[in-house]
Amino acid sequence: MKIPFNNDWLFTKSFDDGFDTAVLVRIPHTACEIPYNYADCEAYQMLCGYKKSFTAPSEWLGKRIFIKFDGAAHDAAVFCNGVEVCRHSCGYTAFEVELTDYIEFNAENTVCVKLDTRESLNIPPFGFVIDYLCYGGIYREVSLIVKEKDIISDVFIENTGLDEITVRLETDGNVESNDIVNEIIDADGKTVSQYKGAEFTARLKNAHLWSVDDPYLYTLRTRIIRNNEITDEECRRFGFRTAKFENDGFYLNGKKLKLRGINRHQSYAYVGYAMPKSMQRFDAEILKYELGVNAVRTSHYPQSQHFIDRCDELGLLIFTEIPGWQHIGDEIWKKQAVINTEEMVKQYMHHPSIILWGVRINESQDDDALYTETNNTAHRLDRSRQTSGVRYIEKSSLLEDVYAYNDFSHSGQNNGLRKKTKVTSDKSKPYLVSECNGHMYPTKPFDDEEHRLSHALRHAKVIDAMYAENDICGIFPWCMFDYNTHRDFGSGDGTCYHGVLDMFRNPKLAASVFASQSENIPCCTVSSSMDIGEHPAGDLGNVYVFTNADYIKLYKNGVFVRDFYPSKKLYPAMPHPPVVIDDFVGTMLETQDGYSHKTAEQIKQCLKAIAKYGPSALPLKYLLKFGKLMLFKGLKYSDGVELYGKYVSNWGGEATMWRFDAVKDGEIIKSCTKKPGQKVHLEIKPSSHTLIESETYDVAEIRITALDEFNEPAVYYQEPIKIKCSDNIEIIGPDTVSFKGGSVGVYVKTKGVSGKAWIDINGEITEFNIE
């Protein structure tokens, strides 16, 4: 029996001062909420305390009682009725402790947690600087577990073949092999095979394979059955699949697949790590349905089981790793890193989405003794998965199976990635790029258009470079969204603007580079507002459309300009290169002004040159070309001025309306209209209209975007909004927030009461149903 144990905890920021002034909280909980930016990175560092009382009924006599913490950051001492029963020194893995011998039945019992959230601890990832905030608190769920005396304590599943798994059980108590019955159950709830014992290999003929496009899940149900009575039961979802990194790429179920991924932190605005199931799952859905990636790296630590579960369901592949960032500590520190490796593998190995164990401290120096131990630990526990470790060092000592390298070589003009042969010493080992871009070009949502475009094109360049190289298994650019960091890093406001989304998961322009590579997300994002005042000398230059359409049809004030196709010349390898719009005149000189095709092309060249160089600095060849047009075609100087104003500068003229139609298989899949906006309205998108009060509170995220009258982002809208809500929900963070780059976000949280709820955003009501 598993009992949610998340409500009615007392919390104090000073454990030594006791709980007299403690406040009532619900788990997940952050030790200290912080502002969106300009956060004090020491505010959440403390020796805090949590306490909860409960009554153990007489029915539990003779049974065993455990408490499980899914995540407590970072060093937790657990007490039951005043007796210390456990110490756990990793903020990123779960731990379970037995309370049976300390429980008083039919009486009040108290569980207390002394939690050290300080970054001075001698455990990973601490010991030196860290480029992300580590927060603190019991930030994942807690459960009370009541079992019989003889139990199944753990279940381990290895994918040892395409249609084969090997299962090992750990039991505690007097459990005979014949007492254990194992069933494999398909997605329809039908038992498809059955096995006896604590260790077995299951082969399922014609098994429905798990894949990125068809993530089919089975369930292993293992039971202790005596005299036809079930005395214990554990269930694990899994998938039949093989995952193998080879020298020439990654193979899923024997088929080569390029990993087009991204890095994810587990943090959120205001509350850091402390978000419930729905928000964890929502991030996976954003990765799949909005960014269109097929893989994610859980940088730089194991993440919520809720997030991994949703990746299992969606077919997202995961590279997960032990906690750490560059620093390697003393022998006590290293011992904890090995423990972390064991806990990570044992707790997550049943997930089919996980394809690679990271057994090095991210970006650390070589330490063969330590990494021999972590690598061997992973292989001893899980023979079915390969290992890797993220480094920024070329020709690094490779003890793992896959060389993972943070390639920050791209600067905007050079090659997107380095060649594998330049990075690795052992050319026979598989290779992937674990990070790129990120800090090389921080980009805020409110940066100017040129900056935001450069950010997007850098991502396009590295993705193209990955596809161009057969021996690069995949790429995990840095990173999914912006995040708070320490004062040693980030912008002046303590934020790393490295994401393709902002902290509220609103997209920047670069997000469309990722989305456009998906076959399942109709995408047509124009890089420019098409406002001449956004560009030096009013020259639009090249405009990019990030799309997965076959081509773009461009219209100016309703008149067809021409068709534009993906730029295979600039981006020859990626599935859907950006479309470069480099001609805003197109066929209009022919269709609107009656010039022949040859003459129209010559006039167009001259007009584009004037836009680029200016009339006073026009190169000689264009002066000669224009003179030839005047001499032989009767073009007058005033004609040139008129055509330039009509087709290029539009300075002082009526605002131009541009329409971009994305065409795929002969159908318009998406259309964008660009014209200087004069009216702004808000698009309010809640993650869900249904909130579920179940094991703990629920949260909905409301992403808010300012759009112009053509439903295009108003990226320079920075106005504040006032937020109000009904009494049965509460706002996380401030109730007045300002737009940042035309977007913002709000979180609302349930308070244990069901019924209808609402949030008022500048007078616009969004309703929720709390179940």
Side-chain angles (χ1 to χ4, degrees), residues 121-373:
L121 292 164
N122 189 31
I123 59 174
F126 307 122
F128 196 54
V129 295
I130 302 173
D131 182 23
Y132 52 93
L133 297 190
C134 297
Y135 306 102
I138 303 179
Y139 69 93
R140 294 180 189 158
E141 291 82 356
V142 184
S143 302
L144 199 65
I145 301 167
V146 182
K147 291 197 168 194
E148 300 294 337
K149 285 187 176 181
D150 303 327
I151 64 170
I152 302 159
S153 51
D154 219 332
V155 180
F156 307 113
I157 301 173
E158 297 174 279
N159 289 93
T160 46
L162 193 61
D163 56 1
E164 175 184 290
I165 59 169
T166 297
V167 177
R168 291 175 289 116
L169 309 181
E170 286 184 357
T171 61
D172 192 14
N174 184 24
V175 181
E176 298 291 336
S177 181
N178 284 336
D179 296 335
I180 302 172
V181 177
N182 304 280
E183 297 172 288
I184 294 178
I185 302 167
D186 68 15
D188 296 322
K190 178 185 176 183
T191 298
V192 294
S193 60
Q194 192 174 98
Y195 303 87
K196 282 270 193 177
E199 187 167 346
F200 63 93
T201 296
R203 295 179 181 87
L204 190 63
K205 187 177 180 180
N206 298 321
H208 193 149
L209 301 183
W210 185 95
S211 68
V212 292
D213 296 319
D214 184 13
Y216 191 90
L217 293 168
Y218 290 86
T219 298
L220 173 67
R221 183 170 66 193
T222 181
R223 291 168 163 174
I224 298 175
I225 302 178
R226 290 169 174 160
N227 300 321
N228 295 321
E229 182 183 350
I230 301 168
T231 61
D232 196 18
E233 177 177 306
E234 290 289 334
C235 293
R236 299 287 188 277
R237 290 194 308 180
F238 71 96
F240 284 103
R241 62 109 182 96
T242 56
K244 183 71 172 176
F245 290 85
E246 301 282 7
N247 182 43
D248 66 339
F250 171 74
Y251 291 81
L252 184 67
N253 301 331
K255 298 178 181 178
K256 192 171 183 179
L257 175 69
K258 280 284 191 180
L259 299 175
R260 189 179 67 249
I262 201 163
N263 282 271
R264 177 202 185 239
H265 271 304
Q266 65 176 10
S267 56
Y268 297 82
Y270 310 129
V271 296
Y273 294 159
M275 277 290 189
K277 178 179 179 178
S278 60
M279 287 296 95
Q280 305 294 337
R281 292 172 63 86
F282 186 50
D283 263 9
E285 290 160 8
I286 291 171
L287 289 168
K288 179 77 172 184
Y289 298 128
E290 297 183 22
L291 292 179
V293 298
N294 62 19
V296 59
R297 173 179 168 228
T298 65
S299 48
H300 304 284
Y301 37 75
Q303 296 182 6
S304 166
Q305 292 281 357
H306 300 312
F307 175 74
I308 310 297
D309 282 342
R310 192 64 177 133
C311 290
D312 287 344
E313 296 165 1
L314 295 173
L316 284 169
L317 301 167
I318 297 175
F319 173 11
T320 195
E321 63 188 350
I322 56 176
W325 202 80
Q326 295 189 346
H327 171 72
I328 299 175
D330 60 16
E331 292 306 312
I332 295 173
W333 194 100
K334 293 179 183 179
K335 182 179 179 181
Q336 185 61 49
V338 176
I339 293 170
N340 294 347
T341 306
E342 179 166 347
E343 291 184 344
M344 174 184 70
V345 174
K346 292 174 76 172
Q347 291 173 22
Y348 292 87
M349 63 185 289
H350 64 281
H351 290 285
S353 57
I354 294 178
I355 56 171
L356 193 62
W357 298 122
V359 297
R360 276 177 71 112
I361 302 301
N362 173 70
E363 290 188 337
S364 62
Q365 298 293 315
D366 291 335
D367 187 325
D368 284 3
L370 172 61
Y371 294 138
T372 295
E373 193 169 359

Side-chain angles (χ1 to χ4, degrees), residues 6-7 24-30 33 271 274-276 278-279 691-693 696-702 725-733 746-753 757-759 768 770:
N6 300 305
N7 298 326
L24 206 60
V25 300
R26 304 175 79 188
I27 308 298
H29 178 257
T30 185
E33 287 192 14
V271 296
M275 277 290 189
S278 60
M279 287 296 95
L691 296 168
I692 300 173
E693 271 278 341
T696 184
Y697 63 86
D698 199 4
V699 168
E701 180 181 32
I702 299 96
C725 65
S726 56
D727 291 339
N728 52 349
I729 57 175
E730 61 180 289
I731 298 164
I732 296 174
V746 179
Y747 298 109
V748 293
K749 174 181 178 181
T750 61
K751 297 167 66 175
V753 180
W758 53 264
I759 184 170
F768 303 92
I770 305 173

Side-chain angles (χ1 to χ4, degrees), residues 589 593 595 603 607 635 639-648:
L589 285 166
D593 296 280
Y595 291 104
I603 294 173
L607 296 179
L635 195 73
D639 294 333
V641 172
E642 181 184 350
L643 291 173
Y644 182 77
K646 181 178 180 180
Y647 289 115
V648 180

Side-chain angles (χ1 to χ4, degrees), residues 359 371-381:
V359 297
Y371 294 138
T372 295
E373 193 169 359
T374 57
N375 192 50
N376 289 343
T377 296
H379 281 306
R380 171 176 53 82
L381 294 168

Side-chain angles (χ1 to χ4, degrees), residues 610-631:
I610 295 170
K612 182 176 181 179
Y613 300 107
S616 61
L618 205 62
L620 178 61
K621 70 174 184 177
Y622 294 107
L623 290 171
L624 293 173
K625 190 182 292 285
F626 195 71
K628 186 177 179 181
L629 286 167
M630 295 175 71
L631 180 64

